[in-house]
Amino acid sequence: MVESFFDKKTECLTIKIKGRFDYSCHKMFKEAFTAFNAVKSYEVNLAEVTYLDSSALGMLLLLRDYAGGEKAMIRLVHVNGVVIDTLKIANFHRLFDITE
C-alpha cells in the first residue's frame, strides 16, 4: 500500500509504503511521485515495510531520476533493520540520504 502527502509549505512530498514493497506497488508508487508539481524534496517513509525486493530498488531509482538525478533531494526515513541491510548491500546509501 502506498500513501502520499504533499506539504505546500515545505514543498516536500512524503510517500509512505506499508507492507511489501515490490512490483505490486509500482503503479501506485509512480502515481504518488508524479501527481504533484513544484516538489522540492521527497521523503520515502519505510517504517512499515516488511519486505523489499529488486523491483522496489528500481522504483527508488525511477524516483531519483524523476526528481533530478544526482541533484535530487530524497530521504529514505524510518528504515527498519531488514530494509537497511538490503539498501546497504545495493549501495543505496551512496545515492540516498537514509535514516533509521
Side-chain angles (χ1 to χ4, degrees):
M1 182 172 158
V2 178
E3 298 174 346
S4 61
F5 172 76
F6 181 65
D7 185 337
K8 291 180 183 178
K9 191 181 239 185
T10 62
E11 297 178 321
C12 179
L13 176 64
T14 300
I15 301 171
K16 185 172 187 176
I17 297 131
K18 295 180 181 181
R20 295 176 62 91
F21 190 16
D22 57 18
Y23 189 75
S24 67
C25 299
H26 185 269
K27 183 179 179 190
M28 288 185 293
F29 187 76
K30 187 172 182 182
E31 288 172 352
F33 69 76
T34 58
F36 299 93
N37 294 325
V39 176
K40 299 285 184 199
S41 64
Y42 298 82
E43 185 173 277
V44 181
N45 186 323
L46 301 172
E48 296 183 48
V49 171
T50 57
Y51 173 81
L52 177 119
D53 68 6
S54 61
S55 62
L57 299 176
M59 286 183 267
L60 291 171
L61 292 175
L62 285 174
L63 169 60
R64 184 174 186 260
D65 287 344
Y66 179 84
E70 290 181 23
K71 298 176 185 173
M73 295 178 60
I74 302 171
R75 295 181 328 147
L76 308 181
V77 299
H78 307 296
V79 182
N80 63 46
V82 174
V83 173
I84 194 91
D85 290 342
T86 303
L87 293 172
K88 284 182 179 178
I89 288 169
N91 286 317
F92 272 46
H93 59 285
R94 296 181 182 186
L95 303 174
F96 298 94
D97 179 14
I98 301 173
T99 58
E100 294 182 48

